[in-house]
Amino acid sequence: MLMAFSGFMMLATIMYFLFKGRTIPVVVFITVPVLAAFLAGFSVTEVVSFVEFGIKKTSKMAVLFIFSVTFFGIMSDAGMFDGLVNKLVTKAGTNVVAIAIATAIIGIISHLDGATVTTVLVTVPAMLPVYKKLNIRPHLLLLIVGCGMGVMNLLPWGGPVARAALVLGIDPTTLWHTMIPIQIMGIFATVALAIVMAIREKKFHNAGRVDLVVNEVSGDVELKEHDEAALKLKRYNRTWINLSITAALLVILLLGIFPTYFTFMLGVCAALIVNYPNVDEQKRRMRAHAPVALDVASVMLAAGIMVGILGKSGMLEAMTVPLLQIIPSSIAHFLYVIMGVIAFPLGTMLGTDSYFYGLLPLAIKVGENYGITGLTMTIAMLIGKNLALLISPLVPATYLGIGLTHIELRDHIRYSFFGLWAVGLIMFAFAWMIGMF
């Protein structure tokens, strides 16, 4: 009982401080879990082992964030994305809705490989300059990418589907075949969300109002450039070389030739050598992106402490039991509906492994006592959890996204939470309507 109480208090305190902005995430993720572990009765030696376990799990990801943020920052300095930005702005003009739809399509297609970090690295750096030039808040970019990612993560090689299939004891492809109609509805819902939120941005936040000029030579629509220092960093004559480096990097990522973090280490080296061969300029470029890179990595390492304490102490398992016991027997027959509705907020608070290997088996076991099949419970709980991918404080890609866009975690959650939850509920309702349950 004390373990469960400590766990709930820990999560509630963390969420409170994150939403209220009383302190930075690093302080919250380090101090609160450690205090909760001591409150639960663990010794210093045990707490240290939990911390080491969590740090070990997140250290490579922290290195990845440092070098991926630096790589795309250098490429942005060199102007690699400027050509794409100009063409998109030329085609869409100040049409915020068109940009939002394009973002949804790019996010959906880029997540075909099922890798969350890769999807963020492909979509956000490429689209962020467009959003800045059209005065669209980057919160919308993360919301749309997160939604498309969540929908496409229902593919059989997506982590959640594979974990859920393992719990059920069936092939992931079999589970995916059952969920294809839901996934198709999710794609339409993602585009609809992008349109609705883009209209809202345009109406209430002046998105799309920007100073544009037409280049007399190329005919391209461009933004008036006022930053002379930024212009000096541009390397337009090396754009194709930079694009080739980036393409090669993404191919290596997809093929898994090297560890992801090492791939970006090599990418940073190539970007510096090609664009800024002068040693002093290389140092300036590294220093320019160090604050963001360090901020993202430090939060990731701090979150590792929370992950380690939750996962290694058994605290999470203790928390799931009272969650299921408080459900009255009169409504237990509709447990899959309850779990389907709250799957998104639960998925936001719980890590993927904890959700599918801890909560899902317990929910299935309880549901079977009331005639609810394991497949029904799994589908209900999969939908919302997938939509929580890019909003959960326990998902590494979340920190990469907010690091690249310079958004505070609490602001990202506030902006995206209800939109993503709405899409999850639409998909769940559609599954119910077509008799999937």
Side-chain angles (χ1 to χ4, degrees):
M1 192 66 180
L2 181 59
M3 287 263 288
F5 175 77
S6 300
F8 284 121
M9 285 297 296
M10 179 180 72
L11 289 181
T13 305
I14 288 172
M15 290 301 171
Y16 172 79
F17 279 111
L18 288 179
F19 275 102
K20 290 295 183 179
R22 297 295 174 87
T23 185
I24 60 175
V26 169
V27 175
V28 178
F29 287 145
I30 293 174
T31 57
V32 176
V34 171
L35 291 174
F38 285 130
L39 177 63
F42 292 103
S43 67
V44 173
T45 303
E46 289 173 317
V47 172
V48 169
S49 69
F50 302 155
V51 170
E52 290 178 342
F53 174 79
I55 294 294
K56 186 176 180 180
K57 288 194 69 173
T58 57
S59 58
K60 291 181 181 178
M61 194 62 68
V63 176
L64 163 64
F65 287 173
I66 290 173
F67 284 92
S68 61
V69 168
T70 303
F71 173 80
F72 283 107
I74 292 170
M75 289 304 194
S76 180
D77 292 340
M80 185 185 75
F81 301 113
D82 290 3
L84 172 64
V85 169
N86 284 334
K87 288 194 179 298
L88 281 174
V89 174
T90 301
K91 294 290 184 182
T94 57
N95 192 332
V96 178
V97 174
I99 293 296
I101 293 173
T103 304
I105 294 171
I106 293 171
I108 289 168
I109 293 174
S110 65
H111 198 64
L112 285 171
D113 66 343
T116 54
V117 171
T118 302
T119 302
V120 173
L121 292 174
V122 169
T123 55
V124 174
M127 295 301 297
L128 185 59
V130 181
Y131 277 66
K132 287 181 177 179
K133 287 195 173 187
L134 292 181
N135 195 33
I136 309 172
R137 291 186 296 173
H139 303 67
L140 178 61
L141 171 57
L142 283 190
L143 168 62
I144 297 173
V145 171
C147 192
M149 181 188 296
V151 170
M152 293 308 292
N153 217 42
L154 290 173
L155 290 167
W157 50 86
V161 173
R163 288 174 174 85
L166 180 63
V167 171
L168 281 177
I170 63 175
D171 187 85
T173 305
T174 303
L175 180 57
W176 174 58
H177 286 165
T178 305
M179 301 190 69
I180 287 176
I182 307 176
Q183 192 172 33
I184 294 173
M185 170 54 71
I187 292 173
F188 284 109
T190 299
V191 175
L193 177 67
I195 293 172
V196 170
M197 295 303 291
I199 293 173
R200 184 172 177 269
E201 284 292 309
K202 189 173 182 179
K203 184 175 182 180
F204 296 108
H205 298 282
N206 297 320
R209 297 184 181 180
V210 61
D211 255 348
L212 295 172
V213 295
V214 177
N215 187 300
E216 295 180 359
V217 178
S218 66
D220 286 345
V221 177
E222 298 175 348
L223 204 82
K224 289 180 180 178
E225 183 63 72
H226 301 289
D227 193 343
E228 293 295 330
L231 277 175
K232 291 179 180 178
L233 294 173
K234 302 300 180 185
R235 300 293 186 267
Y236 293 128
N237 60 330
R238 298 167 196 170
T239 296
W240 283 107
I241 299 176
N242 288 331
L243 286 171
S244 299
I245 292 172
T246 305
L249 184 146
L250 294 176
V251 169
I252 292 172
L253 285 177
L254 294 174
L255 295 178
I257 298 173
F258 296 128
T260 308
Y261 64 90
F262 180 58
T263 302
F264 276 100
M265 285 178 165
L266 295 175
V268 168
C269 295
L272 288 173
I273 292 170
V274 168
N275 296 288
Y276 308 104
N278 181 272
V279 174
D280 291 334
E281 189 58 54
Q282 289 179 351
K283 291 179 180 179
R284 283 193 289 270
R285 289 304 87 220
M286 291 297 291
R287 284 197 295 266
H289 300 290
V292 175
L294 180 60
D295 183 53
V296 175
S298 61
V299 172
M300 190 66 253
L301 290 171
I305 294 176
M306 177 175 64
V307 171
I309 290 175
L310 265 179
K312 199 70 173 175
S313 66
M315 195 179 290
L316 189 63
E317 287 75 8
M319 292 165 60
T320 56
V321 176
L323 279 177
L324 296 175
Q325 289 179 340
I326 61 175
I327 301 173
S329 57
S330 58
I331 61 172
H333 291 284
F334 300 99
L335 179 61
Y336 71 95
V337 179
I338 297 170
M339 298 307 293
V341 170
I342 66 174
F344 176 77
L346 277 179
T348 302
M349 294 185 292
L350 301 180
T352 305
D353 288 335
S354 303
Y355 186 90
F356 287 104
Y357 297 141
L359 182 60
L360 179 60
L362 284 172
I364 290 175
K365 186 175 181 180
V366 174
E368 286 174 347
N369 294 324
Y370 296 95
I372 303 170
T373 67
L375 181 62
T376 292
M377 185 66 74
T378 299
I379 292 174
M381 292 180 65
L382 252 177
I383 298 170
K385 171 59 180 174
N386 269 14
L387 268 298
L389 270 176
L390 202 61
I391 194 175
S392 172
L394 297 173
V395 175
T398 299
Y399 298 102
L400 181 59
I402 62 177
L404 290 170
T405 53
H406 308 291
I407 299 175
E408 292 290 336
L409 178 61
R410 66 178 184 275
D411 294 333
H412 169 50
I413 294 175
R414 281 173 178 164
Y415 185 90
S416 300
F417 190 90
F418 290 105
L420 291 173
W421 196 1
V423 171
L425 292 176
I426 289 170
M427 294 169 68
F428 178 77
F430 177 75
W432 200 355
M433 288 171 56
I434 63 176
M436 194 163 287
F437 300 128

